[in-house]
Amino acid sequence: ELHKCLRSLPQDMDTGGFFVTLFKKVKPLSKDATERMAAMASESRGGVDVDADKKKEAAADKKEQSAKEGEGDGVAVMSNSPAAEEKKSDEKSEPEEPVVKKAPTGKVGQHKHRADLGDADFIPSDPSIWPSIIEQYGLPPTFPKEQFMVRSTGDAKVIYFITKSIKKELIDHGIQNRVTVINSGLKGFERCSIQENTAKYRINQEAVQYVVPYMTKRLISADMDDFYACIKDGFLNLNTFSDSFKKSIEELEPGSFVVALKGYEKDVAKKMYLSMWRRPNCVNCFVAK
C-alpha cells in the first residue's frame, strides 16, 4: 500500500526520509496502549489531563449506583456487624483503576536531555556571523540569508538551509510552539575546527547546490580527471592534479572552497560539486565516500 503514501522530502539527499500516511483503527486498543495514548495526549496539551472531568463523573455515577443497589437489598446492616465487615472486605478487594500520570508540561519531546539537538528550535541566525561568510565566498545581496537558520542551542555550530515553503508555511506560523521539529533542512555551513582563514564557517556538502549559484569567489572548475582525483581519500598533494587545476588551487588562500565539474557549473540539479579544504601544500575533500 506504499503507493498511497506521500513522501515529504523537499531536498534530494540520496537517503531515506520522512513520509506521511494514514492509519485505520480496526479494533479497540489494549489497556496498556490506551494508557500510553492518554499520557501522550496529556503531554501534547501541556500536561493537562483532558479526561479528568470524565473520570470524576464516572466515579460519581458508580457511587450513586452502588447506593441504589444497597437500598434495593431491603437489609439493614450494622456498621460493626460481620456482614458489614465482609462487604467492606469485598469492596477493598476490587482492583483499583490505574492512574495515568500527567506528562511534563511543554511541547512533546522537551523533557529530553538538551544535548539532543532534536529538541532545539530553529531560529534566525545571528547577523554578526554573515559578514565574514559573505566576504569569503563573494555572496551577493540577493543571497537568501533568511533561509539559513540555526538551532537555539546558542553555539550555532551548523547553519541549516530551510526551503521557502517550510519556513513560510510552518516555522513562521509558529509550528515549533506546538510540536518539536526533530529535523529539517540541510546543513549549509559548518563552523571550522581548523582556524587557517578569516571565515569561521566552511561550506557543507549537503546544501552545496543551494550556495554555489551565488558564489563569486572560491569556486573553481575541474575536468573529469581532476574532479575524480578530488574524491580520493586523505590529503591530496597538489602535484596530484593537472597544472592548470593546480594553479587555480594555489591562487586560493587556505580554507574552504568548492570544485565544480566542467560543463555542470550551472546544472544545480546534477549537483556535480565538491566541498573542499585548501591547506598549505595539499587539499582534502569533505564528502562522505
Side-chain angles (χ1 to χ4, degrees):
E1 300 293 323
L2 284 178
H3 67 280
K4 297 180 181 178
C5 299
L6 173 66
R7 187 181 185 193
S8 299
L9 191 66
Q11 300 93 3
D12 179 13
M13 294 176 61
D14 297 326
T15 66
F18 294 102
F19 65 94
V20 179
T21 186
L22 178 66
F23 291 94
K24 181 179 180 181
K25 182 179 176 183
V26 296
K27 64 179 181 180
L29 296 174
S30 65
K31 182 178 179 181
D32 183 54
T34 301
E35 292 175 4
R36 293 201 306 272
M37 291 294 291
M40 292 172 63
S42 175
E43 182 180 5
S44 67
R45 291 169 174 80
V48 178
D49 191 350
V50 294
D51 295 326
D53 293 337
K54 293 182 179 179
K55 292 178 182 178
K56 291 180 180 179
E57 293 177 2
D61 293 342
K62 185 176 181 180
K63 184 176 181 180
E64 184 180 351
Q65 183 66 26
S66 298
K68 289 180 179 180
E69 291 177 356
E71 292 174 358
D73 292 341
V75 180
V77 182
M78 297 294 291
S79 61
N80 295 327
S81 66
E85 294 295 333
E86 183 178 352
K87 185 173 183 180
K88 289 181 180 179
S89 177
D90 292 341
E91 291 175 353
K92 290 181 180 180
S93 64
E94 292 182 2
E96 296 181 358
E97 293 185 3
V99 178
V100 179
K101 295 182 179 180
K102 291 185 178 182
T105 58
K107 296 189 302 181
V108 177
Q110 276 201 338
H111 61 282
K112 297 179 182 178
H113 193 276
R114 296 304 299 177
D116 179 6
L117 293 181
D119 293 88
D121 288 345
F122 284 93
I123 60 174
S125 56
D126 187 340
S128 65
I129 69 176
W130 285 108
S132 61
I133 296 176
I134 290 173
E135 174 61 27
Q136 180 81 355
Y137 303 110
L139 304 177
T142 55
F143 182 73
K145 297 192 298 293
E146 69 281 356
Q147 287 182 243
F148 286 80
M149 308 185 77
V150 298
R151 290 284 200 176
S152 58
T153 52
D155 58 358
K157 181 179 179 182
V158 177
I159 306 176
Y160 296 88
F161 170 77
I162 309 293
T163 58
K164 285 184 178 180
S165 57
I166 295 296
K167 185 179 184 299
K168 181 179 178 180
E169 304 298 334
L170 296 178
I171 294 179
D172 290 351
H173 277 71
I175 187 67
Q176 296 179 112
N177 296 330
R178 301 188 295 276
V179 300
T180 297
V181 178
I182 301 300
N183 188 28
S184 184
L186 299 172
K187 293 180 180 179
F189 298 91
E190 192 165 357
R191 195 168 57 209
C192 306
S193 58
I194 306 171
Q195 298 299 328
E196 293 181 350
N197 62 335
T198 56
K200 295 182 179 179
Y201 290 86
R202 67 174 179 84
I203 296 175
N204 193 289
Q205 182 67 21
E206 278 192 13
V208 65
Q209 71 270 35
Y210 297 104
V211 179
V212 166
Y214 299 93
M215 292 177 63
T216 59
K217 296 180 180 179
R218 306 189 71 80
L219 174 64
I220 59 178
S221 298
D223 59 26
M224 183 60 73
D225 292 336
D226 287 326
F227 192 85
Y228 179 75
C230 285
I231 61 176
K232 293 181 179 179
D233 292 328
F235 299 108
L236 306 173
N237 190 284
L238 298 185
N239 293 325
T240 305
F241 307 104
S242 65
D243 292 340
S244 60
F245 188 68
K246 176 183 175 182
K247 183 178 179 181
S248 298
I249 296 176
E250 289 175 337
E251 292 174 353
L252 299 175
E253 293 292 329
S256 177
F257 70 101
V258 174
V259 173
L261 180 62
K262 285 184 179 179
Y264 293 87
E265 292 90 343
K266 303 296 183 181
D267 195 344
V268 176
K270 293 293 193 300
K271 197 180 177 180
M272 291 297 180
Y273 311 119
L274 298 175
S275 176
M276 306 286 292
W277 188 271
R278 160 85 155 96
R279 295 174 181 271
N281 299 310
C282 61
V283 297
N284 61 310
C285 184
F286 285 148
V287 179
K289 307 300 189 294

